[in-house]
């Protein structure tokens, strides 16, 4: 659905740009080829009934959800752990801005879509399709959409982190997962993901740190103190990472860590 909306928006923008290019030949909204050009207009009018007010509130709610969508994508999916681990890899290699940040973010996004595909599939089958077919109400669709995401977060959240936020929220001791509200589950999931990402990052740093120490010791023993160790260690670290097929191993470990 998101892809269809994006393609529709791109088609509208392309049509608008084409209309601007051919503005000199267009007249009264009709192009030189006789094809009507789209016209976008926004305005505020007085409501003529409760239905108009309801539609306006729905549009406002939709815009609010769209503005929060990036934060939701980052905080309730596997994106946080993946992007932090990829950043650790770049820092451990010492390659400065290689790979570029845009590449790391893009890779993290596509890996997130891959990991979350079963969850998104459940949401589409159990919530979106029945709701668009008018088989269930909005509240029922929301509950069905939230359940797969909650189950995903519960699998990745430590009980210790969950207990912390239950205590901070001054709640009664929950007996089941259904007793834990989502606003308690999300921060618990986030700090659990941060902890897992830093553990993986620490393990990634160890072999590269050993290479740096060995190179520095060899240079000192040879009396080459004016040679920066990074000049020697950087090619060795890149070579080691390529020989062990580092991207394959890291991607495999990240994806399997969510199963």
């Amino acid at each position: 659905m998101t892809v269809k909306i994006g393609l529709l928006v791109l088609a509208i923008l392309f049509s608008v740009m084409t209309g601007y290019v051919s503005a000199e030949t267009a007249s009264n909204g009709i192009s030189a080829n006789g094809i009507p050009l789209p016209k976008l207009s926004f305005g505020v009018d007085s409501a003529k009934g409760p239905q108009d007010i309801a539609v306006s509130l729905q549009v406002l709610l939709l815009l609010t959800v769209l503005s929060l969508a990036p934060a939701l994508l980052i905080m309730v999916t596997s994106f946080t752990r993946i992007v932090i681990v990829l950043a650790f890899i770049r820092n451990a290699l010492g390659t400065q801005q290689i790979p570029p940040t845009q590449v790391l973010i893009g890779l993290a996004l596509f890996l997130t879509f891959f990991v979350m595909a079963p969850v998104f599939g459940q949401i589409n089958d159990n919530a979106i399709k029945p709701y668009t077919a008018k088989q269930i109400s909005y509240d029922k669709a929301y509950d069905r959409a939230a359940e797969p995401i909650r189950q995903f977060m519960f699998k990745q959240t430590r009980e210790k982190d969950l207990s912390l936020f239950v205590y901070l929220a001054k709640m009664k001791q929950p007996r089941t997962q259904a007793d834990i509200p989502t606003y308690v589950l999300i921060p618990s999931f986030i700090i659990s993901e941060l902890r897992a990402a830093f553990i993986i990052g620490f393990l990634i740093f160890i072999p590269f740190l050993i290479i740096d120490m060995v190179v520095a010791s060899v240079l000192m023993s040879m009396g080459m103190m004016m040679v920066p160790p990074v000049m020697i260690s950087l090619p060795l670290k890149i070579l080691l990472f390529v020989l062990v097929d580092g991207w394959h191993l890291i991607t495999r470990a990240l994806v399997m860590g969510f199963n």
Side-chain angles (χ1 to χ4, degrees):
M1 181 179 295
T2 304
V3 175
K4 293 181 179 179
I5 295 175
L7 292 176
L8 178 60
V9 172
L10 289 176
I12 294 175
L13 292 176
F14 179 77
S15 300
V16 173
M17 293 173 64
T18 306
Y20 280 121
V21 172
S22 59
E24 295 181 358
T25 60
S27 174
N28 296 326
I30 305 297
S31 67
N33 297 325
I35 301 176
L37 299 176
K39 177 182 179 182
L40 300 178
S41 61
F42 299 91
V44 179
D45 297 327
S46 58
K48 298 180 180 180
Q51 185 65 25
D52 293 340
I53 299 177
V55 172
S56 301
L57 292 177
Q58 290 176 0
V59 172
L60 181 61
L61 178 61
L62 177 61
L63 293 176
T64 303
V65 171
L66 290 176
S67 63
L68 296 177
L72 293 176
L73 175 64
I74 292 174
M75 296 305 174
V76 301
T77 62
S78 58
F79 181 83
T80 300
R81 183 192 303 186
I82 293 174
V83 74
I84 291 177
V85 170
L86 294 179
F88 270 122
I89 293 174
R90 185 173 66 179
N91 291 334
L93 286 171
T95 53
Q96 301 300 325
Q97 296 299 321
I98 302 297
T101 302
Q102 293 84 349
V103 174
L104 293 184
I105 296 297
L107 177 59
L109 280 175
F110 280 104
L111 288 179
T112 299
F113 294 148
F114 181 83
V115 172
M116 301 297 296
V119 178
F120 294 154
Q122 294 180 26
I123 294 174
N124 184 51
D125 295 337
N126 301 331
I128 297 178
K129 287 184 177 179
Y131 178 71
T132 54
K134 298 183 179 180
Q135 298 176 356
I136 58 176
S137 62
Y138 172 79
D139 295 335
K140 188 69 174 179
Y142 173 79
D143 294 336
R144 290 187 179 183
E147 186 59 27
I149 297 179
R150 283 173 55 89
Q151 291 299 323
F152 172 80
M153 289 191 290
F154 274 120
K155 290 180 181 179
Q156 313 302 328
T157 305
R158 296 191 309 163
E159 293 185 3
K160 182 178 181 180
D161 299 329
L162 202 57
S163 300
L164 170 64
F165 283 95
V166 168
Y167 169 77
L168 294 177
K170 299 181 180 179
M171 296 173 47
K172 294 182 179 179
Q173 189 68 24
R175 296 183 179 180
T176 62
Q177 292 182 351
D179 297 333
I180 300 176
T182 304
Y183 74 88
V184 172
L185 176 59
I186 291 178
S188 306
F189 168 75
I190 293 173
I191 64 174
S192 295
E193 287 294 280
L194 290 175
R195 178 180 180 274
F198 273 73
I199 291 176
I200 298 174
F202 171 76
L203 297 177
I204 291 173
F205 258 95
I206 291 178
F208 299 111
L209 179 61
I210 293 175
I211 293 177
D212 288 332
M213 295 176 62
V214 170
V215 170
S217 300
V218 171
L219 290 177
M220 289 183 63
S221 63
M222 296 176 62
M224 304 174 61
M225 297 183 181
M226 299 301 294
V227 179
V230 69
M231 293 183 60
I232 309 299
S233 63
L234 179 58
L236 294 178
K237 290 190 288 187
I238 295 176
L239 178 61
L240 173 65
F241 193 72
V242 172
L243 289 178
V244 300
D245 202 359
W247 291 113
H248 174 86
L249 295 176
I250 294 298
T251 303
R252 182 175 182 271
L254 285 173
V255 174
M256 294 186 64
F258 291 100
N259 297 330

